[in-house]
Amino acid sequence: MTIAEAAAGQDLPEDREILTWDDFGQAARDLAREVVDSGFEPDVVIAVARGGLLPAGALSYALGLKACDALNVEFYTGVDARLAEPQVLPPFLDTDALIGRRVLVVDDVADTGETLALVQKIVAQHCEEARTVVLYSKPHSIVAPDFVWRRTAKWITFPWSALPPVTA
């Protein structure tokens, strides 16, 4: 089977973490419970696109929040293949809408942590308070997310990126 997350000519590691759709549903509920139990009451959820889009949507529903947005960032180009640094892509986040708000920044994984650090820095300059949540965190991440579902050093296959794009 061809996997979308591998770059052309690249193989996925045999020993990897595989997140199922069922596990994803449970993870979203578990993370929402962690956020609520912490006492943090976000006003808005910001997804780190693309990997954070589905987790952010699931968390916004689990937390009963309708205010959602996304910041588009490109960093990974394949398995452990990435650009020199994360790049913010258009369309851009309306940072003025974050003034005075408590923001929950959501991504799928804090791998190197560079993407999450960049988004956290951008958001924190405009909001009252920002906290971060990820499904997975890796031990070498430069960021310690506020809320983490699981920790692993393995490559992760997410259900939304496990298959190649649909083509004609």
Side-chain angles (χ1 to χ4, degrees), residues 51-137:
L53 286 170
L54 283 114
L59 277 166
S60 71
Y61 272 102
L63 293 169
L65 292 171
K66 291 188 177 186
C68 301
D69 209 336
L71 185 62
N72 298 291
V73 182
E74 180 180 28
F75 191 38
Y76 277 84
T77 57
V79 176
D80 282 335
R82 53 192 154 280
L83 301 173
E85 59 186 39
Q87 303 292 315
V88 176
L89 304 173
F92 300 110
L93 178 67
D94 178 8
T95 53
D96 287 342
L98 302 179
I99 295 171
R101 308 259 184 179
R102 293 177 308 274
V103 176
L104 186 63
V105 176
V106 184
D107 205 356
D108 53 356
V109 62
D111 190 332
T112 65
E114 291 181 54
T115 300
L116 197 56
L118 172 65
V119 174
Q120 188 176 26
K121 178 182 175 185
I122 291 168
V123 169
Q125 292 172 354
H126 302 279
C127 69
E128 178 182 314
E129 182 179 3
R131 297 208 188 162
T132 55
V133 60
V134 295
L135 294 170
Y136 290 94
S137 184

